[in-house]
Amino acid sequence: MNRVNPATGEELEPIEEHTAEEVDEAVTRSAEAYAEWSGRPMEERQKLLSGAADVLRENVDEYAEIMTREMGKPIAGARSEVEKCAWACDHYAERAGEYLADERIGTEPHAEAFVSYEPLGPVLAIMPWNFPFWQVFRFAAPTLTAGNTGLLKHASNVPECALAIEDVFREAGYPEGVFQSLLVGSDLVNDVIEDDRVAAVTLTGSERAGRAVGKAAGEQLKPSVLELGGSDPFVVLDDADVEVAAAVGARTRTLNSGQSCIAAKRFIVVDEVYEAFLEAFVREMEALTVGDPMDEDADVGPQAREDLMEDLHEQVQATLSEGATLQTGGEPLDREGFFYPPTVVTDVPRDATMSCEEVFGPAAAVYGVGGEAEAIDLANDSHYGLGGSVWTEDLHRGKRVAREIESGCVFVNELTKSDPRLPFGGVKDSGYGRELSEKGIRAFVNAKTVWVQSAADQDV
């Protein structure tokens, strides 16, 4: 697998891909490990997960540097990502037993009925490069602790991250085969999905990849969870604290150098506060430092690959040609690496490129609307439905508007984020199923109904 440091454009040492034979051997190990792993007491699995959290924290700098080197994440954000993975491990190490405890159901006086949550088998995870540790751990922490085994097909530009994650579980004491990385291209994914030994599949990625994986899993009648793209609305109502909204808006649009599915991408501002918000927002975007991601002071690093930077620039230029106005940014920076500046465009038509497509980089589209009803209408005028954010001083109003936005989650006076305690996922073309919280650990289990009664109570 060929890799390039996105901050310098220099090639990194290639990592050898696994062969089809090696993949088959890995699936065999996963199936064999499942037979033993699924029978272990929950308490043992929770203890091992707590150990994985310890390994993550002990090696936070090493793992953060791998991320930054492979995909350009600013180093402070990379360390925070490792810490968040440890938090997810802590959460399920504490709560998994509670989440998967038998659920008693009242039926007949002479019978006992309950739901038993039991693992399925090896689960294939197809994961992206933008949060190369977090995306994996929000799958692995609950799925492994539920008693499944995991096979990771990571993005081709972050193989070192994939191997490091495998090492985390190994160092924590997990048995061989419980978690393995498959260093393969997309051409082998369908073969793994179709393998009878693989029980389920989860993907975080593009809409196109989601459709392909969902189709392949569906044809095999295997459960799947898809977390796909987003074009999240950031709604600023007329009673919002404009300065705070602008500061948080700039942060959420440029988090991870703008390469986040749940980043705010469409800023929908009621006319009464439009000028004030736009002035503050542009000021906040221009104040951000674009620089070497290994530099602690860098707010925005490079785009992860050159082609991704080029795609982003094409989207911005297409939107401008469709009638939008450039407020700041808009051109790749003249330096080594794949750097694109924080960019703001206004007067964006509803059918323009940045209105209709997911923009995966630090470029924001700002819209002025006549009032609350128009803001909600524009927020929902998207085939995506991952997250959203609403800004208002009236919390009752905020809750009401949040209920009307068509997405998997909405945050009032806060940026949209994933949290181990909260279910996460989308609607419409942003996918289906939920990760994290109790719902996430139940994504890949058999909710088995059990009825128990004495034969003496049988009506014959």
Side-chain angles (χ1 to χ4, degrees):
M1 290 182 165
N2 295 320
R3 302 174 296 152
V4 174
N5 184 327
T8 64
E10 296 175 352
E11 290 189 5
L12 300 172
E13 184 178 350
I15 293 178
E16 189 172 347
E17 290 191 18
H18 289 141
T19 64
E21 181 180 354
E22 288 171 327
V23 170
D24 183 70
E25 292 170 354
V27 175
T28 297
R29 285 192 297 271
S30 188
E32 291 174 347
Y34 170 72
E36 188 274 335
W37 176 247
S38 59
R40 288 204 180 192
M42 171 62 76
E43 294 77 14
E44 287 187 25
R45 298 199 296 262
Q46 289 175 283
K47 184 176 180 180
L48 285 168
L49 188 62
S50 182
D54 292 340
V55 173
L56 285 163
R57 292 190 173 104
E58 290 165 4
N59 300 283
V60 60
D61 290 332
E62 175 189 346
Y63 299 146
E65 289 175 7
I66 292 172
M67 272 190 271
T68 300
R69 182 168 60 249
E70 283 199 311
M71 54 72 61
K73 187 184 299 289
I75 191 67
R79 280 196 294 269
S80 294
E81 181 170 336
V82 178
E83 292 288 352
K84 189 172 184 178
C85 294
W87 177 28
C89 292
D90 290 340
H91 178 75
Y92 284 106
E94 177 185 354
R95 304 293 296 277
E98 170 192 337
Y99 288 158
L100 296 181
D102 289 349
E103 184 179 337
R104 303 289 168 175
I105 301 173
T107 53
E108 302 294 334
H110 62 272
E112 176 189 8
F114 60 92
V115 176
S116 174
Y117 295 99
E118 302 174 3
L120 299 177
V123 180
L124 172 65
I126 304 164
M127 292 292 134
W129 48 264
N130 58 328
F131 289 91
F133 269 65
W134 171 242
Q135 308 279 19
V136 176
F137 273 90
R138 77 183 191 193
F139 145 76
T143 303
L144 300 185
T145 311
N148 301 294
T149 52
L151 294 161
L152 169 64
K153 188 282 179 206
H154 219 326
S156 59
N157 59 330
V158 288
E160 195 174 350
C161 288
L163 294 175
I165 294 168
E166 189 177 90
D167 284 341
V168 170
F169 290 108
R170 184 179 298 112
E171 290 185 30
Y174 280 69
E176 182 183 3
V178 170
F179 183 91
Q180 299 171 87
S181 288
L182 308 179
L183 302 184
V184 297
S186 299
D187 55 316
L188 289 182
V189 167
N190 274 14
D191 290 343
V192 180
I193 295 173
E194 293 171 0
D195 194 302
D196 289 341
R197 295 167 294 180
V198 173
V201 59
T202 182
L203 173 137
T204 297
S206 68
E207 178 188 342
R208 178 184 58 78
R211 290 182 186 278
V213 168
K215 178 180 179 181
E219 288 177 343
Q220 301 301 316
L221 298 180
K222 294 180 179 180
S224 60
V225 171
L226 304 179
E227 193 268 279
L228 309 179
S231 186
D232 287 6
F234 187 98
V235 177
V236 183
L237 298 175
D238 51 14
D239 61 345
D241 185 323
V242 170
E243 293 293 328
V244 173
V248 176
R251 179 154 56 95
T252 183
R253 177 61 289 216
T254 58
L255 184 69
N256 199 34
S257 307
Q259 301 166 122
S260 171
C261 296
I262 56 171
K265 299 185 174 92
R266 295 178 297 132
F267 292 78
I268 301 168
V269 187
V270 171
D271 287 339
E272 287 90 328
V273 294
Y274 177 83
E275 292 298 335
F277 174 83
L278 180 61
E279 180 182 354
F281 183 56
V282 171
R283 183 175 65 246
E284 293 283 351
M285 292 284 274
E286 291 180 339
L288 295 169
T289 300
V290 181
D292 182 350
M294 286 292 186
D295 187 337
E296 297 286 347
D297 296 326
D299 300 307
V300 180
Q303 302 301 282
R305 299 195 310 263
E306 185 174 17
D307 64 305
L308 297 172
M309 182 189 70
E310 292 170 348
D311 289 345
L312 171 63
H313 185 52
E314 288 178 6
Q315 288 177 308
V316 171
Q317 290 302 305
T319 302
L320 295 176
S321 70
E322 291 157 348
T325 303
L326 182 66
Q327 298 293 332
T328 190
E331 290 288 343
L333 298 183
D334 185 16
R335 64 170 72 172
E336 296 296 325
F338 316 135
F339 292 88
Y340 204 85
T343 295
V344 179
V345 299
T346 57
D347 308 314
V348 184
R350 281 200 180 199
D351 60 351
T353 299
M354 290 178 67
S355 295
C356 301
E357 297 180 3
E358 179 175 26
V359 179
F360 220 62
V366 183
Y367 307 78
V369 294
E372 178 186 301
E374 188 179 350
I376 294 170
D377 178 67
L378 180 53
N380 292 335
D381 186 17
S382 172
H383 59 99
Y384 292 112
L386 190 56
S389 185
V390 177
W391 292 80
T392 173
E393 291 291 272
D394 184 339
L395 300 188
H396 292 290
R397 185 187 191 189
K399 286 191 284 187
R400 175 173 53 77
V401 172
R403 289 181 184 276
E404 295 190 53
I405 292 177
E406 299 165 353
S407 65
C409 60
V410 181
F411 287 68
V412 178
N413 297 325
E414 175 62 298
L415 58 84
T416 307
K417 56 188 177 181
S418 56
D419 181 318
R421 301 165 296 186
L422 303 175
F424 181 79
V427 296
K428 300 194 281 189
D429 287 350
S430 290
Y432 54 75
R434 292 295 180 266
E435 297 179 291
L436 302 174
S437 77
E438 180 182 55
K439 296 186 185 301
I441 200 170
R442 291 185 177 184
F444 297 120
V445 296
N446 174 20
K448 179 192 290 183
T449 297
V450 179
W451 179 288
V452 183
Q453 70 176 55
S454 169
D457 292 319
Q458 183 62 248
D459 184 15
V460 294

